[in-house]
Amino acid sequence: MAAPVQARKTVEFFYDVLSPYTWLAFEVMCRYQQKWNIDLKLRPFFLAGIMKGADNRPPAMVPAKGQYMTKDVLMLTDMYKVPFNWPSNPTEVMFVKGSVNAGRFLTAVDMSCEQYLEELTRQLFLRIYYRDEDITEPASLLSAAMKAGIPEDLAKQLLSTIKDQTVKDRLRETTQTALDYGAFGSPTIVAHVDGKPKMFFGSDRFELMAHMLGEKWHGPLPELAKAKI
């Protein structure tokens, strides 16, 4: 007799592309959506709003943590086989330029044509943390969109909506939803198990997540990597 088909569990991935650790977790979760019985839901949020709402500080604001993070990310990207280079001016990228336009653009895509959201997210990560390129200007976002396979006319139309109130409101709502789950940084991953949300933070909780989901952790699965350079 065949085993009963198990219902797929929903895993929400709340994120901001400014976070280097988030890229690691994003790529691993995208690989595991092919292995685990899950529906992965990408939820772009605004990290600055999360930090303010949770009364938290970025690791780079603490000198010892910043020095550790610089080396730690390089070791982890090597292990996970995620292409990575630190930008030439991380402080400017993270604390001056920020990610509000990128977050709104991702939100607009999520609202209108979510089939492009994963690859657009990947292309924005590649711009920041591999090619040391901008993600704030319209031309930069358009370039990322076209590399993600979004038709140019559609990409321009979506880009024209990033200042619309509906897009701004959705980004705020997603940020607040993450805070309501208990988020204090990026990534925040929420697995829904037996009708209850289980929150995980960071890029190193996959083994515990697998246990809670009733799945197996098989390591980084580099053979399933999607980030191509």
Side-chain angles (χ1 to χ4, degrees), residues 10-52:
T10 297
V11 176
E12 297 181 274
F13 187 89
F14 293 90
Y15 69 103
D16 188 309
V17 294
L18 270 190
S19 162
Y21 284 109
T22 298
W23 191 13
L24 301 172
F26 167 80
E27 290 296 342
V28 171
M29 288 307 301
C30 287
R31 296 169 192 176
Y32 268 88
Q33 69 179 332
Q34 304 172 64
K35 278 278 189 182
W36 291 346
N37 189 34
I38 63 171
D39 286 322
L40 181 64
K41 303 295 185 182
L42 299 180
R43 307 290 195 214
F45 67 11
F46 186 42
L47 182 55
I50 293 291
M51 302 304 280
K52 181 178 180 180

Side-chain angles (χ1 to χ4, degrees), residues 168-229:
K168 293 179 181 179
D169 288 346
R170 172 67 73 85
L171 184 59
R172 289 193 189 100
E173 289 166 7
T174 305
T175 302
Q176 186 59 53
T177 297
L179 285 168
D180 291 344
Y181 278 130
F184 52 87
S186 180
T188 294
I189 308 171
V190 179
H192 295 267
V193 181
D194 297 329
K196 297 179 181 179
K198 307 289 185 182
M199 192 192 90
F200 306 89
F201 170 72
S203 59
D204 59 354
R205 312 303 287 169
F206 301 119
E207 192 168 3
L208 176 59
M209 192 188 312
H211 171 73
M212 298 305 299
L213 288 167
E215 299 283 356
K216 292 184 179 180
W217 168 245
H218 302 280
L221 297 180
E223 67 275 13
L224 297 180
K226 295 183 180 181
K228 308 298 182 183
I229 56 175

Side-chain angles (χ1 to χ4, degrees), residues 66-169:
Q67 293 172 15
Y68 173 80
M69 182 176 73
T70 299
K71 300 174 183 177
D72 187 49
V73 169
L74 293 176
M75 291 188 290
L76 287 170
T77 53
D78 178 63
M79 183 179 77
Y80 289 148
K81 301 306 177 191
V82 174
F84 186 90
N85 292 306
W86 280 108
S88 55
N89 191 337
T91 299
E92 180 183 45
V93 169
M94 295 180 182
F95 304 119
V96 179
K97 290 187 172 182
S99 62
V100 66
N101 283 345
R104 289 175 182 171
F105 191 38
L106 288 165
T107 298
V109 170
D110 185 31
M111 293 171 68
S112 299
C113 44
E114 65 177 345
Q115 69 269 28
Y116 294 114
L117 184 58
E118 177 184 329
E119 190 56 34
L120 177 60
T121 299
R122 183 171 290 112
Q123 291 301 323
L124 290 172
F125 275 128
L126 282 166
R127 286 188 70 86
I128 307 173
Y129 290 118
Y130 186 71
R131 295 192 293 266
D132 194 11
E133 295 174 342
D134 174 72
I135 62 158
T136 64
E137 297 296 330
S140 304
L141 297 173
L142 181 60
S143 177
M146 293 179 67
K147 283 183 177 294
I150 303 177
E152 184 175 2
D153 288 349
L154 176 59
K156 288 180 177 179
Q157 186 273 321
L158 291 167
L159 193 56
S160 73
T161 70
I162 66 172
K163 293 185 179 180
D164 288 0
Q165 196 60 47
T166 53
V167 173
K168 293 179 181 179
D169 288 346

